[in-house]
Amino acid sequence: MFGIRLKELRTKYGYTQETLGEKLGVSDKTIGAWERGTREPPMKSIKFLANLFDVSTDYLMGNADKPHYYSLTDKDQQDIDTELENMLNGVSENGGINYFQNGAKLSDQDRELLKASMRQTIALSKELAKKKFTPKKYRGSEQ
């Protein structure tokens, strides 16, 4: 699993085996061997890669499905969608909150922009809450 995750993250971040090897002080052949699973990296390199790609070592090693212990689950995403719809229904209903001083209507395009902005804000606040309130013993290798 490590090799698969390493290759996915390396390509996602735009590194070649050579450029990643330079960062780690190893050859591109070593990176290739790690990706193929024919060699295992030392813990020092695993920690470096986890920090470089902003993931937990557990995720990198295949011991966790989420990049971070505080990453949002599918249920969290569904809760955000429900919360957003409830908020936006309040914006569009006649008796709802009016965000405009002159009583102007919210256009479909503005509604989508507002929805995207609110989604990002709610998701970030949920992640921060998980990060803050998850006991250390459940955080895996992230500290």
Side-chain angles (χ1 to χ4, degrees):
M1 180 58 76
F2 172 80
I4 294 167
R5 294 253 166 101
L6 175 60
K7 186 173 183 175
E8 285 173 356
L9 291 166
R10 177 180 60 77
T11 55
K12 175 183 175 183
Y13 282 81
Y15 289 105
T16 63
Q17 288 181 344
E18 184 178 3
T19 57
L20 184 58
E22 288 171 4
K23 281 197 153 308
L24 283 157
V26 299
S27 71
D28 57 333
K29 289 180 177 37
T30 299
I31 300 295
W34 291 351
E35 289 181 357
R36 288 187 305 278
T38 57
R39 288 183 58 193
E40 291 188 14
M43 183 54 71
K44 180 177 153 185
S45 296
I46 294 169
K47 287 179 179 180
F48 179 88
L49 290 165
N51 285 328
L52 178 67
F53 297 131
D54 189 29
V55 296
S56 70
T57 55
D58 281 341
Y59 176 79
L60 193 56
M61 296 301 295
N63 297 326
D65 293 330
K66 300 186 305 181
H68 302 284
Y69 69 88
Y70 55 85
S71 296
L72 299 181
T73 63
D74 289 340
K75 176 154 181 7
D76 292 328
Q77 298 294 349
Q78 290 171 351
D79 291 346
I80 290 170
D81 289 338
T82 301
E83 192 173 340
L84 261 177
E85 283 307 311
N86 290 339
M87 286 180 185
L88 289 172
N89 286 339
V91 171
S92 61
E93 300 290 327
N94 289 339
I97 299 168
N98 188 351
Y99 286 94
F100 304 105
Q101 289 180 353
N102 62 2
K105 299 289 182 193
L106 193 64
S107 71
D108 289 342
Q109 184 179 12
D110 287 339
R111 179 181 164 85
E112 287 306 310
L113 289 171
L114 179 61
K115 185 176 181 178
S117 176
M118 290 171 71
R119 169 174 258 298
Q120 188 172 11
T121 301
I122 294 168
L124 179 59
S125 68
K126 285 186 178 292
E127 279 189 354
L128 290 174
K130 280 187 170 193
K131 199 173 194 179
K132 182 176 182 181
F133 296 110
T134 301
K136 286 184 181 179
K137 67 180 182 179
Y138 297 113
R139 293 183 185 181
S141 61
E142 294 181 71
Q143 297 299 326

